[in-house]
Amino acid sequence: MAQEVFNCFESYEFFGEFFESENSNAGRFAAKIKYSPQNGLQLEYSISDSEAPSSCERLFGILSNGKKCTLVGSFDFDSGTHHMGSVHVKSGLHGFFYLIIGDFVTEEQLVKNTHFTFNGMQEFIHPQGWLTQLKYQDSPIAEVSSDDWDIEVTNVATYSMVGDRLKNLIDSRDKDAKEKLDHAIDSIQETHPKAYFNLRKSLKYYIRYATKELEGAGDIINQITKIASLFSILMSCPVFPEEIKLTLNNKDKVVSVLNSMVLESRTVKLAQKEVNHNFLPLNWKQLDMSTVLSNWFKVYDDFRVLSVAHQYETGYRTLHYAHSDIILYSTQLEAINLDLGGPSATKYVGPIETYASPELAFQLRKVFEKVNECDLGKAISTIRNELAHVGRPKVMMNKLSIDDYVDIGHMLRLVVISHLLEKLGIDRERIHQYQRRLSLE
């Protein structure tokens, strides 16, 4: 893989010359690419050449650092500002979908494979603090696959050369053992005078993703985004593709990708928050990732709203959001009850009885005890209808605080997620573990 790294949580600016056709010198114009996780990808342009494109779906460019690039998006340069002086100038700031750095990439170009990371990935796979216990290996650390794709977890390490200073970096309170180690190092260096010793500085994980039937860059980026959305649910925090590198088919060339995200600052802060392997709701070692990923691709469209809620979480709840969560997740409980084959009379309580751990059910009942309602099905039906229907008397609503609404929405969401986790092939014990790790304090 190429060594240069572009991280989606960093900000960048690139100045370059851009054009519609990679084989034409006509209609070229200068512009600046701006990228930040909050504003996404934007092209700041000023065009006076009448031969420059008014609209296109793809632009090619040569950056000031000499690198080729490809911009993909629905460009409409007539929608910006027009200056009608002695020369007609079109200028503005135009958003686009993604930027490929390293080559001109046409729509027809297929991708052999991709290497990518996502925020928190290394901690999800292995505790960061224990990486020194892992030995670097060229072969994949883990492999999962289906009929349509292959995924490998691979190592990338960086080193610094220590030469004959290796024994200076190792010490021991056992002086006899230290002397024997120094002697062994001296002996090795005498018998292998041309050998160079390197000290490992870092060890990173990458996911290598390849489809059995080759696809274009846009399709691959969409698949990576789907994978990231799954990990967002498993880790219960915003997760996005962090570094993306594509290996172009029949070109033997690796290019980097910046994908436009446009996130709220609170979401970026949550995504960059430090996570701990031992306190994650679930981790790689506890799951059959081949089954989980295969099932996720099958049910993704049905649970897209749930994945978006996790990926774009802000960690902030107003009364409006708290009310919306209750309406959304209680409605999804009805759909789950149908999926389980339950009667309409159990449309809210059926999924809770099926998936909720005793602790979660107790916490939910505890909230509704404040309004003297012990029947969970009736309680959820009442609060949902009072929230959803204009003009209905707000008897229960007036007795609950915003914290109560937030807690109810959170617990209903856990039940909905539990249904998804079972669809992914995760056993009930791990589902209840997920609930306990994310339950209310």
Side-chain angles (χ1 to χ4, degrees):
M1 291 186 294
Q3 294 301 310
E4 191 169 16
V5 170
F6 296 96
N7 188 308
C8 74
F9 290 109
E10 301 292 335
S11 296
Y12 301 95
E13 286 191 354
F14 309 96
F15 185 76
E17 184 181 48
F18 302 93
F19 38 93
E20 184 178 12
S21 173
E22 58 181 312
N23 299 316
S24 174
N25 288 319
R28 297 191 173 212
F29 62 95
K32 179 188 286 186
I33 297 171
K34 296 181 176 183
Y35 173 80
S36 72
Q38 292 88 355
N39 297 321
L41 283 160
Q42 297 174 309
L43 185 70
E44 185 177 7
Y45 64 92
S46 180
I47 303 173
S48 61
D49 190 338
S50 60
E51 293 189 55
S54 294
S55 62
C56 60
E57 298 297 317
R58 188 174 300 248
L59 281 172
F60 302 103
I62 298 176
L63 303 177
S64 56
N65 59 12
K67 290 184 178 293
K68 295 179 179 179
C69 72
T70 307
L71 292 66
V72 179
S74 298
F75 294 99
D76 179 5
F77 297 112
D78 285 336
S79 63
T81 301
H82 293 250
H83 302 274
M84 299 293 187
S86 57
V87 178
H88 179 197
V89 177
K90 294 182 284 188
S91 64
L93 197 63
H94 204 301
F96 59 101
F97 301 141
Y98 59 91
L99 168 68
I100 298 173
I101 303 172
D103 202 5
F104 299 149
V105 179
T106 64
E107 187 177 1
E108 294 75 26
Q109 173 67 55
L110 298 178
V111 174
K112 185 177 180 181
N113 60 61
T114 178
H115 288 78
F116 69 94
T117 64
F118 55 79
N119 53 294
M121 183 184 87
Q122 295 187 208
E123 199 69 14
F124 180 80
I125 296 174
H126 189 87
Q128 182 76 17
W130 296 350
L131 282 179
T132 54
Q133 300 178 13
L134 292 180
K135 183 179 179 180
Y136 172 81
Q137 60 185 67
D138 291 321
S139 58
I141 296 169
E143 298 178 80
V144 295
S145 62
S146 76
D147 294 336
D148 302 318
W149 47 263
D150 292 308
I151 284 180
E152 298 174 351
V153 179
T154 60
N155 273 158
V156 174
T158 60
Y159 297 88
S160 61
M161 191 174 71
V162 295
D164 58 2
R165 293 171 292 138
L166 180 60
K167 59 186 179 183
N168 298 337
L169 301 175
I170 305 173
D171 203 357
S172 174
R173 292 183 178 181
D174 189 327
K175 292 187 177 181
D176 183 53
K178 179 65 167 70
E179 288 177 3
K180 288 180 179 179
L181 177 63
D182 290 348
H183 177 73
I185 292 174
D186 290 337
S187 176
I188 291 171
Q189 289 178 331
E190 286 176 9
T191 55
H192 299 80
K194 294 184 179 181
Y196 290 94
F197 293 94
N198 300 313
L199 185 68
R200 192 172 81 197
K201 294 173 61 180
S202 69
L203 182 70
K204 294 180 66 175
Y205 288 114
Y206 276 86
I207 289 182
R208 178 188 178 277
Y209 173 75
T211 55
K212 301 291 177 66
E213 186 174 334
L214 299 185
E215 297 179 335
D219 293 326
I220 293 295
I221 292 169
N222 285 336
Q223 290 294 90
I224 292 173
T225 302
K226 287 182 183 180
I227 294 171
S229 69
L230 167 64
F231 286 105
S232 187
I233 294 171
L234 297 178
M235 297 168 65
S236 191
C237 67
V239 172
F240 295 91
E242 195 172 38
E243 300 172 20
I244 304 176
K245 294 182 181 295
L246 306 178
T247 303
L248 304 180
N249 191 48
N250 298 327
K251 277 195 170 187
D252 194 27
K253 181 172 285 190
V254 177
V255 296
S256 298
V257 175
L258 276 175
N259 191 34
S260 193
M261 298 191 298
V262 192
L263 304 177
E264 285 193 35
S265 296
R266 291 191 184 99
T267 300
V268 174
K269 187 175 181 179
L270 280 178
Q272 294 184 298
K273 186 178 180 181
E274 186 176 343
V275 296
N276 186 300
H277 177 88
N278 297 313
F279 296 110
L280 285 171
L282 296 167
N283 63 57
W284 184 286
K285 295 180 178 66
Q286 296 171 340
L287 305 173
D288 179 352
M289 290 306 302
S290 182
T291 299
V292 169
L293 282 161
S294 296
N295 289 336
W296 174 243
F297 288 130
K298 294 174 185 175
V299 303
Y300 171 77
D301 288 336
D302 294 333
F303 291 91
R304 190 170 184 176
V305 171
L306 193 61
S307 69
V308 167
H310 279 78
Q311 275 195 301
Y312 294 88
E313 176 64 70
T314 64
Y316 182 73
R317 286 292 183 275
T318 62
L319 185 61
H320 168 72
Y321 276 113
H323 287 179
S324 299
D325 279 353
I326 293 174
I327 294 172
L328 171 63
Y329 295 120
S330 60
T331 302
Q332 291 189 345
L333 288 183
E334 295 184 61
I336 292 171
N337 187 62
L338 285 174
D339 194 31
L340 294 173
S344 59
T346 63
K347 62 182 178 181
Y348 298 122
V349 75
I352 295 172
E353 292 176 343
T354 301
Y355 295 115
S357 65
E359 297 86 354
L360 182 62
F362 171 78
Q363 288 178 336
L364 193 54
R365 288 191 178 92
K366 189 175 179 181
V367 175
F368 286 114
E369 282 177 2
K370 296 180 181 181
V371 292
N372 299 316
E373 183 55 76
C374 299
D375 185 327
L376 280 182
K378 184 178 178 182
I380 295 169
S381 176
T382 300
I383 190 64
R384 182 212 178 275
N385 290 334
E386 287 187 13
L387 288 169
H389 299 294
V390 177
R392 179 165 297 205
K394 312 301 182 184
V395 178
M396 184 178 289
M397 280 181 63
N398 292 332
K399 297 179 182 179
L400 296 173
S401 68
I402 183 172
D403 289 337
D404 294 328
Y405 291 122
V406 171
D407 291 346
I408 293 168
H410 175 71
M411 288 183 279
L412 296 185
R413 178 160 86 160
L414 283 177
V415 175
V416 174
I417 294 170
S418 298
H419 178 62
L420 166 61
L421 296 180
E422 185 157 273
K423 290 277 188 183
L424 298 180
I426 298 174
D427 62 62
R428 198 63 59 85
E429 181 182 353
R430 293 300 182 193
I431 292 173
H432 285 176
Q433 172 188 307
Y434 186 96
Q435 294 176 9
R436 287 193 300 272
R437 294 282 171 86
L438 298 174
S439 62
L440 304 173
E441 294 293 337

